[in-house]
Amino acid sequence: MAEETIFTKIINGEIPSDIVYKDELVTAFKDISPKAEHHILIVTNKPIPTVSDVEPCDEQMLGHLFIIARKIATDLGIEKSGYRLIVNCGPDGGQEVPHIHMHFLAGGKLGGLGFPQKQ
Ligand code: AMP
């Protein structure tokens, strides 16, 4: 089992967070530093560090991230108008917390994704 992260502490209720959804596979809570009107992190309860660590046995749990993304969009009434889902992977992918999570971003027309930052 991978090391526990700050997200594990949120999932276990050891530190405060604004949880919007939780079940046996994933937990979704508001990002502490929102990059859009709605910025929710959908996190696997199992602490897999990155996409590069996923195994075939994780398939159902990872697919569930999309099911819950759709549920959140429906709950917010933006299923048709749209939203963005992002999964950062590793240092060059901009991943800060080594615990697989999907960013759910929404609220008006979102900007482009952009090129890599110049050194
Ligand atoms: P990433 O860069 O893909 O690893 O995203 C990590 C995200 O976690 C960032 O958007 C942070 O703002 C967010 N974050 C870090 N700590 C917390 C926290 N305690 N509660 C909610 N979101 C957090």
Side-chain angles (χ1 to χ4, degrees):
M1 186 68 87
E3 263 182 49
E4 291 201 348
T5 66
I6 189 166
F7 288 172
T8 305
K9 290 189 165 64
I10 288 174
I11 292 161
N12 293 339
E14 291 160 16
I15 61 171
S17 67
D18 199 345
I19 292 178
V20 299
Y21 179 84
K22 190 173 191 342
D23 64 23
E24 70 283 5
L25 294 178
V26 304
T27 302
F29 51 89
K30 293 187 181 173
D31 196 295
I32 203 166
S33 176
K35 309 295 187 302
E37 184 186 346
H38 302 287
H39 188 173
I40 295 164
L41 302 174
I42 311 169
V43 183
T44 57
N45 292 342
K46 179 180 166 186
I48 304 169
T50 79
V51 173
S52 299
D53 299 300
V54 301
E55 306 278 357
C57 64
D58 300 318
E59 194 168 341
Q60 191 197 350
M61 179 180 65
L62 297 171
H64 198 57
L65 293 172
F66 283 90
I67 298 297
I68 300 312
R70 181 188 176 178
K71 175 183 164 33
I72 291 169
T74 303
D75 290 349
L76 289 171
I78 56 169
E79 196 179 2
K80 295 282 183 277
S81 57
Y83 48 96
R84 178 173 291 158
L85 304 175
I86 295 176
V87 178
N88 294 324
C89 182
D92 284 359
Q95 185 180 7
E96 291 170 8
V97 179
H99 185 145
I100 284 188
H101 53 282
M102 176 183 276
H103 292 256
F104 178 103
L105 296 145
K109 200 129 193 111
L110 299 172
L113 285 176
F115 285 101
Q117 290 177 341
K118 295 228 159 45
Q119 299 295 330

Coordinates of all heavy atoms in Angstrom, one line a residue, residues 32-77:
I32 N -8.9 23.5 -2.2 CA -8.7 24.6 -1.2 C -8.2 25.9 -2.0 O -8.4 27.0 -1.4 CB -7.6 24.1 -0.2 CG1 -7.7 25.0 1.1 CG2 -6.2 24.2 -0.8 CD1 -6.9 24.3 2.2
S33 N -7.8 25.7 -3.2 CA -7.3 26.9 -4.0 C -7.9 26.8 -5.4 O -7.3 26.5 -6.3 CB -5.8 26.8 -4.1 OG -5.3 27.8 -4.9
P34 N -9.2 27.2 -5.4 CA -10.0 26.9 -6.7 C -9.5 27.7 -7.9 O -9.1 28.9 -7.8 CB -11.4 27.4 -6.3 CG -11.3 28.2 -5.1 CD -10.0 27.8 -4.4
K35 N -9.5 27.0 -9.0 CA -9.0 27.6 -10.3 C -10.2 27.9 -11.2 O -10.0 28.3 -12.4 CB -8.0 26.7 -11.0 CG -6.9 26.2 -10.2 CD -6.0 27.3 -9.7 CE -4.7 26.8 -9.0 NZ -5.0 26.0 -7.8
A36 N -11.4 27.7 -10.7 CA -12.6 28.0 -11.5 C -13.7 28.1 -10.4 O -13.6 27.8 -9.2 CB -12.9 26.8 -12.4
E37 N -14.9 28.6 -10.9 CA -16.0 28.8 -9.9 C -16.3 27.5 -9.2 O -16.6 27.5 -8.0 CB -17.3 29.2 -10.7 CG -18.4 29.6 -9.9 CD -19.7 29.9 -10.7 OE1 -19.6 30.1 -11.9 OE2 -20.8 29.9 -10.1
H38 N -16.3 26.4 -9.9 CA -16.5 25.1 -9.3 C -15.2 24.3 -9.5 O -14.8 24.1 -10.6 CB -17.7 24.3 -9.9 CG -19.0 25.0 -9.8 ND1 -19.7 25.2 -8.7 CD2 -19.7 25.6 -10.8 CE1 -20.8 25.9 -8.9 NE2 -20.8 26.1 -10.2
H39 N -14.5 24.0 -8.4 CA -13.3 23.2 -8.5 C -13.3 22.1 -7.5 O -13.1 22.4 -6.3 CB -12.0 24.1 -8.4 CG -10.7 23.4 -8.7 ND1 -9.5 24.1 -8.7 CD2 -10.4 22.1 -8.9 CE1 -8.6 23.2 -9.0 NE2 -9.1 22.0 -9.1
I40 N -13.6 20.9 -7.9 CA -13.8 19.8 -7.0 C -12.7 18.7 -7.3 O -12.4 18.5 -8.5 CB -15.2 19.3 -7.1 CG1 -16.2 20.3 -6.6 CG2 -15.4 18.0 -6.3 CD1 -17.6 20.1 -7.1
L41 N -12.2 18.1 -6.3 CA -11.2 17.0 -6.5 C -12.0 15.7 -6.2 O -12.6 15.6 -5.2 CB -10.0 17.2 -5.6 CG -9.2 18.5 -5.7 CD1 -8.2 18.5 -4.6 CD2 -8.6 18.6 -7.1
I42 N -11.9 14.8 -7.2 CA -12.5 13.5 -7.0 C -11.3 12.5 -6.8 O -10.5 12.4 -7.7 CB -13.4 13.1 -8.2 CG1 -14.3 14.2 -8.6 CG2 -14.1 11.8 -7.8 CD1 -15.0 14.0 -9.9
V43 N -11.2 12.0 -5.6 CA -10.0 11.3 -5.2 C -10.3 9.8 -4.9 O -11.4 9.5 -4.3 CB -9.5 11.9 -3.9 CG1 -8.2 11.3 -3.4 CG2 -9.3 13.4 -4.1
T44 N -9.5 8.9 -5.3 CA -9.6 7.5 -5.0 C -9.4 7.3 -3.5 O -8.4 7.9 -3.0 CB -8.7 6.6 -5.8 OG1 -7.3 7.0 -5.5 CG2 -8.9 6.7 -7.3
N45 N -10.2 6.6 -2.8 CA -10.0 6.3 -1.4 C -8.7 5.5 -1.2 O -8.0 5.7 -0.2 CB -11.2 5.6 -0.8 CG -12.4 6.4 -0.8 OD1 -12.4 7.6 -0.9 ND2 -13.6 5.7 -0.6
K46 N -8.4 4.7 -2.2 CA -7.1 3.9 -2.1 C -6.0 4.9 -2.6 O -6.1 5.5 -3.6 CB -7.2 2.7 -3.1 CG -6.0 1.9 -3.2 CD -6.3 0.7 -4.2 CE -5.0 0.0 -4.6 NZ -5.2 -1.0 -5.7
P47 N -4.9 5.0 -1.8 CA -3.9 6.0 -2.1 C -2.9 5.5 -3.2 O -1.7 5.3 -2.9 CB -3.2 6.2 -0.8 CG -3.3 4.9 -0.1 CD -4.7 4.3 -0.5
I48 N -3.3 5.4 -4.4 CA -2.4 5.1 -5.5 C -1.7 6.4 -5.8 O -2.3 7.5 -6.0 CB -3.2 4.7 -6.8 CG1 -4.0 3.5 -6.4 CG2 -2.2 4.4 -7.9 CD1 -5.0 3.1 -7.6
P49 N -0.3 6.5 -5.9 CA 0.4 7.7 -6.1 C 0.1 8.4 -7.4 O -0.3 9.6 -7.4 CB 1.9 7.4 -6.0 CG 1.9 6.1 -5.2 CD 0.6 5.4 -5.6
T50 N 0.2 7.8 -8.6 CA 0.0 8.4 -9.9 C -0.6 7.4 -10.9 O -0.7 6.2 -10.6 CB 1.4 8.9 -10.5 OG1 2.0 7.8 -11.1 CG2 2.2 9.6 -9.5
V51 N -1.0 8.0 -12.0 CA -1.5 7.1 -13.1 C -0.5 6.1 -13.5 O -0.8 4.9 -13.9 CB -2.0 8.0 -14.3 CG1 -2.4 7.1 -15.5 CG2 -3.1 8.9 -13.9
S52 N 0.8 6.4 -13.3 CA 1.9 5.4 -13.7 C 1.9 4.3 -12.7 O 2.7 3.4 -12.9 CB 3.2 6.2 -13.7 OG 3.2 7.2 -14.7
D53 N 1.1 4.3 -11.7 CA 1.1 3.2 -10.7 C -0.2 2.4 -10.8 O -0.3 1.4 -10.0 CB 1.3 3.8 -9.3 CG 2.5 4.5 -9.1 OD1 3.6 3.9 -9.3 OD2 2.5 5.7 -8.8
V54 N -1.1 2.7 -11.7 CA -2.3 2.0 -11.7 C -2.1 0.5 -12.2 O -1.2 0.2 -13.0 CB -3.4 2.7 -12.6 CG1 -3.7 4.1 -12.0 CG2 -3.1 2.7 -14.0
E55 N -3.0 -0.3 -11.7 CA -3.0 -1.8 -12.1 C -4.3 -2.1 -12.7 O -5.3 -1.5 -12.4 CB -2.7 -2.6 -10.8 CG -1.5 -2.3 -10.0 CD -0.3 -2.9 -10.6 OE1 -0.3 -3.6 -11.5 OE2 0.8 -2.6 -10.0
P56 N -4.4 -3.2 -13.5 CA -5.7 -3.7 -14.0 C -6.8 -3.8 -12.9 O -7.9 -3.5 -13.2 CB -5.4 -5.0 -14.7 CG -3.9 -4.9 -15.0 CD -3.3 -4.1 -14.0
C57 N -6.4 -4.2 -11.7 CA -7.4 -4.4 -10.7 C -8.0 -3.0 -10.2 O -9.0 -3.0 -9.5 CB -6.8 -5.1 -9.5 SG -5.5 -4.2 -8.7
D58 N -7.4 -1.9 -10.6 CA -8.0 -0.6 -10.2 C -9.0 -0.1 -11.2 O -9.6 1.0 -11.1 CB -6.8 0.4 -10.2 CG -5.8 0.0 -9.1 OD1 -6.2 -0.4 -8.0 OD2 -4.6 0.2 -9.4
E59 N -9.3 -0.9 -12.3 CA -10.1 -0.4 -13.4 C -11.5 0.1 -12.9 O -11.9 1.2 -13.3 CB -10.3 -1.5 -14.4 CG -10.8 -1.0 -15.8 CD -10.7 -2.1 -16.8 OE1 -9.9 -3.0 -16.6 OE2 -11.4 -2.0 -17.8
Q60 N -12.1 -0.6 -12.1 CA -13.5 -0.2 -11.7 C -13.5 1.0 -10.9 O -14.3 2.0 -11.1 CB -14.1 -1.4 -10.9 CG -15.6 -1.1 -10.7 CD -16.2 -2.0 -9.5 OE1 -15.6 -2.9 -9.0 NE2 -17.4 -1.6 -9.1
M61 N -12.5 1.2 -10.0 CA -12.4 2.4 -9.2 C -12.1 3.6 -10.0 O -12.7 4.7 -9.8 CB -11.3 2.1 -8.1 CG -11.0 3.3 -7.2 SD -9.7 2.8 -6.1 CE -8.3 2.7 -7.2
L62 N -11.2 3.4 -11.0 CA -10.8 4.6 -11.9 C -12.0 5.0 -12.8 O -12.2 6.2 -13.0 CB -9.6 4.2 -12.7 CG -8.3 4.0 -11.8 CD1 -7.2 3.4 -12.6 CD2 -7.9 5.2 -11.1
G63 N -12.7 4.0 -13.3 CA -13.9 4.3 -14.1 C -15.0 5.0 -13.2 O -15.7 5.9 -13.7
H64 N -15.0 4.7 -11.9 CA -16.0 5.3 -11.0 C -15.7 6.8 -10.9 O -16.6 7.6 -10.6 CB -15.9 4.6 -9.7 CG -17.0 4.9 -8.8 ND1 -18.3 4.5 -9.1 CD2 -17.1 5.4 -7.5 CE1 -19.1 4.9 -8.1 NE2 -18.4 5.4 -7.2
L65 N -14.5 7.3 -11.1 CA -14.2 8.7 -11.0 C -15.0 9.4 -12.1 O -15.6 10.5 -11.8 CB -12.7 9.0 -11.4 CG -11.7 8.5 -10.3 CD1 -10.2 8.6 -10.9 CD2 -11.8 9.3 -9.0
F66 N -15.2 8.8 -13.3 CA -16.0 9.5 -14.3 C -17.5 9.5 -14.0 O -18.2 10.4 -14.2 CB -15.8 8.8 -15.6 CG -14.5 9.2 -16.3 CD1 -13.3 8.5 -16.0 CD2 -14.4 10.3 -17.2 CE1 -12.1 8.9 -16.6 CE2 -13.2 10.7 -17.7 CZ -12.1 9.9 -17.5
I67 N -18.0 8.4 -13.4 CA -19.4 8.3 -13.0 C -19.7 9.4 -12.0 O -20.7 10.0 -12.0 CB -19.7 6.9 -12.3 CG1 -19.4 5.8 -13.4 CG2 -21.1 6.8 -11.8 CD1 -20.3 5.8 -14.6
I68 N -18.8 9.6 -11.0 CA -19.0 10.6 -10.0 C -18.8 12.0 -10.6 O -19.6 13.0 -10.2 CB -18.1 10.4 -8.8 CG1 -18.5 9.0 -8.2 CG2 -18.3 11.5 -7.7 CD1 -20.0 8.7 -8.0
A69 N -17.9 12.2 -11.5 CA -17.8 13.5 -12.2 C -19.1 13.8 -12.9 O -19.6 14.9 -12.8 CB -16.7 13.4 -13.3
R70 N -19.7 12.8 -13.6 CA -21.0 13.1 -14.2 C -22.1 13.4 -13.2 O -22.9 14.3 -13.4 CB -21.5 11.9 -15.0 CG -22.8 12.2 -15.7 CD -23.4 11.0 -16.4 NE -24.7 11.5 -16.9 CZ -25.5 10.8 -17.6 NH1 -25.2 9.5 -17.9 NH2 -26.7 11.3 -18.0
K71 N -22.1 12.7 -12.1 CA -23.1 13.0 -11.0 C -22.9 14.4 -10.5 O -23.9 15.2 -10.3 CB -22.9 12.0 -9.9 CG -23.8 12.3 -8.7 CD -23.6 11.4 -7.5 CE -24.2 11.9 -6.2 NZ -25.4 12.6 -6.3
I72 N -21.7 14.9 -10.3 CA -21.5 16.2 -9.8 C -22.0 17.2 -10.8 O -22.6 18.2 -10.5 CB -20.0 16.4 -9.5 CG1 -19.6 15.6 -8.2 CG2 -19.6 17.9 -9.2 CD1 -18.1 15.5 -8.0
A73 N -21.7 17.0 -12.1 CA -22.1 17.9 -13.2 C -23.6 18.0 -13.2 O -24.2 19.0 -13.3 CB -21.6 17.4 -14.5
T74 N -24.3 16.8 -13.0 CA -25.7 16.8 -13.0 C -26.3 17.6 -11.8 O -27.2 18.4 -11.9 CB -26.2 15.3 -13.0 OG1 -25.7 14.6 -14.1 CG2 -27.8 15.2 -13.1
D75 N -25.7 17.3 -10.7 CA -26.1 18.0 -9.4 C -26.0 19.5 -9.6 O -26.8 20.3 -9.0 CB -25.3 17.5 -8.2 CG -25.7 16.1 -7.8 OD1 -26.7 15.5 -8.4 OD2 -24.9 15.5 -7.0
L76 N -24.9 20.0 -10.3 CA -24.7 21.4 -10.5 C -25.5 22.0 -11.6 O -25.5 23.2 -11.9 CB -23.2 21.6 -10.8 CG -22.2 21.5 -9.6 CD1 -20.8 21.5 -10.1 CD2 -22.5 22.5 -8.5
G77 N -26.2 21.1 -12.4 CA -27.0 21.5 -13.5 C -26.2 21.9 -14.7 O -26.7 22.7 -15.5

